[in-house]
Amino acid sequence: MKHILRHRLFRLSFILCAIFLFNFSTAVAQIRKISASVTAQGGDQLVTEVYLPEEEKKYPCILIRTPYGGNNLTRIGEAFANAGYAVVIQNVRGTGGSGGRFLPFVFEMNDGLTTLDWVNIQSWSNGKVGVWGASYLGYCGLLIASSGNPSIVAGINISGWSDLKSLLWEGGAFRFGDHLPWLIFQMSKSLPPPDALDRIFRTVPINSILRGADKQIGLLAGAGFAFDRINIPVLHVTGWYDYLYGNTLSTYSSIRNRASKPAMQKLIIGTWPHNDVFSQSTRAGDEDFGSEARMGFDKMMALSIRWFDHYLKGIDDSDAREPSVKYFVMGENRWREAQEWPPRNVKCEKWYLHSKGAANGLDGSGQLLHKPPCPEGSDQFIYDPSDPVPTFGGANSHFLPAILGVKDQRQIEQRKDVLIYTSPPFDKTLTLVGPLRAVIYASTEGKDTDFTAKLVEVRPDGYARIIEEGILRGRTLLVNGAKYLTPGQVYKFEIEMGATAIQLRRGSRVRLEVSSSNFPKYDRNPSTGEDPILAKDFKAVRQTVYHSSRYPSHVLLPVMK
């Protein structure tokens, strides 16, 4: 009964917030808009627009810094100003008319703090600042919050990140399909048609496409936040099909684990892809999650205003009493609440890989069972980097809509370089909530290699719905200065597959796909030991996956109790 009541209160709060913003946006006085320029280090001028309520007095300020052009944020600036805030929207260095050269991430700390100092001496500022932003904008806000500057009082992070290394690489593999389209778009403000983009993806070496950006990326890989300096309330918002959701979850957890008041960190996880939190869409790929999954601009802004009203204006204390986490359970298609992420009432179950030595493709003998293998043996496949397993579905870049969201994996599962392990049908409903991980014992003929894992729900009608996936690059396992993997040696690949919240109905099955590529989501490992960013030549190699009493390959599923 208590759970149902919380659920209804959550729905009611969304409705009331939307009504509040509607009334505010249609019944308030006009706002003022001021064009300004902030002088950054080196003398570059940063184009800045300020939105102010009509009455001339001091206000708390919302600071937003963007590389995408401040004109795209006019509606957001007006909404915050109508709610009684001074709003500063700035084009970062080298974008939207601001001086200098745009180098992603490089200048955002210094330029952000310079702008913060400028804000604090303006006649309309009361010295209290909230940082707000989605994606790169969220990163800019959190970055200056990590400086410990006392004027930053609260923040909202919508699919932003903190650790650049995990943003660019996953399991040691470059997140190629996520970031190359973004780089192309930033350079040309448009994307080539799909066929041309596919040719670009297949260009080798990769560094010839990046035009030297690979060196910059390498220098930035170790950069990150001083999480223990972020001690402000932050509302983190993301969606299961946002390609940055994992980075947002880790940012939430990292700040929460280090903050002196962990309860001030709140998390909302919906179903939307990147930036779709502002749309009315409830779809991701083949699946529509229903009206409860809808966020949209008005609701997101109402939540934002309510958050800042509490922490910048001291209006009510309801946020402090609400659960820390609200997450959408796919399949069940409703919101649930928890005091932390992942929820405490989750138990990891081990499901072991089994086969008769031929788990290749859908007609193979692979099984996923609770009982450990004994003694059993192994499965093999040929990994050919020149013919990689294609990416199809999942939490992928919004620039690649054809391979984004829920997709049927049966075509992928026809391939002989994909090992398939499937459980028996469930005799009851199973709800998975939390991180997913596969532990694969494997060897290769190559000097380096990758292993991939993909978790799939197999519905009674045969539809193979992607849940999540991950990768691990072999060289990340090397120790004692070793340069290459030892061919034939068995290594333990612990593959993180992100997280989920999904209900699997009675009669469904769960499936694990194991292979060595997922392209273009991740760059291809050439198998030669050469850096994949520099490699021109590929080598096909034999891969072996073991499942025995000595090498009990398995997947860990977070089952809600």
Side-chain angles (χ1 to χ4, degrees):
M1 188 66 185
K2 181 186 280 189
H3 178 77
I4 293 172
L5 181 59
R6 282 185 176 178
H7 174 58
R8 288 175 177 171
L9 286 173
F10 177 55
R11 292 182 64 188
L12 180 61
S13 70
F14 264 52
I15 293 169
L16 290 175
C17 284
I19 293 172
F20 168 79
L21 184 62
F22 175 79
N23 289 335
F24 217 111
S25 60
T26 57
V28 297
Q30 291 184 343
I31 62 172
R32 297 174 288 148
K33 183 178 178 181
I34 301 171
S35 295
S37 180
V38 176
T39 303
Q41 190 176 38
D44 291 315
Q45 299 298 306
L46 305 181
V47 172
T48 305
E49 300 291 338
V50 182
Y51 297 78
L52 297 169
E54 188 175 36
E55 184 180 356
E56 294 189 11
K57 66 176 187 178
K58 293 182 180 294
Y59 295 94
C61 177
I62 308 299
L63 175 58
I64 305 171
R65 304 187 66 251
T66 177
Y68 306 120
N71 290 336
N72 297 321
L73 301 174
T74 297
R75 191 179 176 196
I76 291 169
E78 291 175 346
F80 276 128
N82 280 333
Y85 292 93
V87 188
V88 175
I89 299 177
Q90 183 180 84
N91 296 324
V92 305
R93 187 184 295 243
T95 71
S98 289
R101 179 186 175 194
F102 176 59
L103 294 173
F105 318 125
V106 173
F107 300 110
E108 308 311 354
M109 175 67 92
N110 287 339
D111 289 354
L113 292 177
T114 297
T115 303
L116 187 62
D117 290 340
W118 177 84
V119 166
N120 287 334
I121 63 172
Q122 300 306 306
S123 60
W124 37 257
S125 172
N126 72 359
K128 291 184 177 181
V129 176
V131 289
W132 185 98
S135 192
Y136 196 100
L137 289 65
Y139 166 83
C140 288
L142 287 175
L143 184 65
I144 60 171
S146 73
S147 70
N149 190 300
S151 63
I152 301 178
V153 177
I156 294 180
N157 168 33
I158 306 169
S159 296
W161 63 89
S162 52
D163 177 47
L164 291 175
K165 185 174 183 180
S166 64
L167 173 75
L168 300 169
W169 282 274
E170 183 175 332
F174 181 49
R175 295 173 59 175
F176 193 44
D178 291 340
H179 299 307
L180 182 62
W182 182 82
L183 288 170
I184 293 173
F185 185 82
Q186 282 301 105
M187 288 187 291
S188 62
K189 302 307 176 186
S190 64
L191 283 179
D195 289 349
L197 187 58
D198 184 64
R199 288 194 295 272
I200 294 172
F201 277 131
R202 292 180 178 274
T203 300
V204 292
I206 291 174
N207 70 332
S208 67
I209 310 169
L210 298 178
R211 300 178 184 177
D214 56 313
K215 294 180 181 178
Q216 180 187 323
I217 288 169
L219 291 172
L220 291 166
F225 283 6
F227 290 107
D228 55 345
R229 300 289 298 278
I230 298 181
N231 205 25
I232 60 170
V234 181
L235 173 63
H236 306 263
V237 182
T238 192
W240 291 123
Y241 290 97
D242 189 319
Y243 74 104
L244 296 178
Y245 87 85
N247 302 97
T248 306
L249 293 185
S250 64
T251 297
Y252 159 78
S253 296
S254 296
I255 297 174
R256 189 178 190 275
N257 291 341
R258 292 166 171 83
S260 63
K261 296 180 180 179
M264 295 193 304
Q265 303 302 309
K266 305 288 186 180
L267 175 65
I268 297 175
I269 317 170
T271 59
W272 40 81
H274 196 61
N275 286 345
D276 261 17
V277 64
F278 298 103
S279 80
Q280 293 294 313
S281 174
T282 57
R283 296 192 66 87
D286 294 347
E287 195 157 328
D288 191 319
F289 298 103
S291 59
E292 278 204 48
R294 183 176 291 113
M295 178 67 84
F297 180 86
D298 286 352
K299 285 184 179 179
M300 189 63 247
M301 290 307 300
L303 285 172
S304 299
I305 290 168
R306 181 185 174 201
W307 182 264
F308 287 131
D309 278 355
H310 176 59
Y311 289 108
L312 270 67
K313 294 182 179 180
I315 299 176
D316 81 60
D317 63 349
S318 59
D319 280 306
R321 298 195 302 268
E322 287 187 353
S324 295
V325 179
K326 297 173 183 177
Y327 61 95
F328 195 88
V329 180
M330 298 174 286
E332 185 180 34
N333 287 355
R334 72 181 183 90
W335 293 90
R336 292 196 185 191
E337 300 171 346
Q339 290 298 338
E340 59 188 7
W341 180 263
R344 292 180 182 179
N345 55 333
V346 170
K347 180 181 178 182
C348 279
E349 291 187 359
K350 280 187 180 181
W351 290 72
Y352 294 91
L353 280 59
H354 293 257
S355 82
K356 297 178 181 179
N360 310 72
L362 271 178
D363 57 353
S365 59
Q367 292 181 294
L368 206 57
L369 303 173
H370 274 305
K371 66 179 182 180
C374 184
E376 289 205 42
S378 62
D379 294 296
Q380 294 186 333
F381 64 93
I382 301 298
Y383 162 56
D384 184 355
S386 64
D387 182 24
V389 177
T391 302
F392 191 61
N396 299 318
S397 170
H398 54 304
F399 288 115
L400 305 174
I403 59 172
L404 171 62
V406 178
K407 297 291 182 182
D408 189 347
Q409 302 301 297
R410 282 177 288 186
Q411 183 175 352
I412 303 294
E413 293 168 350
Q414 300 292 335
R415 296 176 60 111
K416 297 304 180 183
D417 57 353
V418 179
L419 303 181
I420 305 293
Y421 304 91
T422 309
S423 76
F426 300 133
D427 58 7
K428 62 180 181 180
T429 296
L430 199 68
T431 302
L432 307 182
V433 180
L436 303 166
R437 184 159 57 100
V439 179
I440 306 297
Y441 293 89
S443 65
T444 179
E445 291 180 339
K447 292 183 176 181
D448 188 20
T449 197
D450 300 337
F451 276 93
T452 61
K454 182 190 298 177
L455 192 69
V456 174
E457 173 197 8
V458 185
R459 294 170 177 167
D461 63 0
Y463 186 98
R465 179 212 193 279
I466 183 172
I467 298 176
E468 249 295 10
E469 58 196 351
I471 192 170
L472 188 63
R473 182 145 290 171
R475 68 178 61 194
T476 64
L477 305 176
L478 295 174
V479 295
N480 300 325
K483 189 175 180 180
Y484 303 119
L485 298 180
T486 301
Q489 180 175 323
V490 180
Y491 293 90
K492 183 180 181 181
F493 287 78
E494 297 186 71
I495 305 171
E496 304 295 337
M497 295 187 290
T500 193
I502 186 170
Q503 188 173 90
L504 310 179
R505 300 296 177 87
R506 179 181 176 182
S508 292
R509 296 172 288 166
V510 70
R511 172 176 292 161
L512 185 71
E513 299 176 13
V514 179
S515 192
S516 286
S517 53
N518 184 347
F519 181 82
K521 184 167 187 168
Y522 308 110
D523 61 340
R524 294 172 285 178
N525 196 313
S527 307
T528 61
E530 189 175 6
D531 185 339
I533 299 292
L534 305 176
K536 297 180 181 179
D537 300 316
F538 296 142
K539 179 182 179 182
V541 294
R542 185 177 302 276
Q543 312 283 68
T544 304
V545 171
Y546 300 85
H547 40 81
S548 64
S549 54
R550 184 179 181 185
Y551 300 118
S553 295
H554 59 274
V555 62
L556 291 163
L557 301 183
V559 178
M560 178 73 74
K561 297 301 182 184

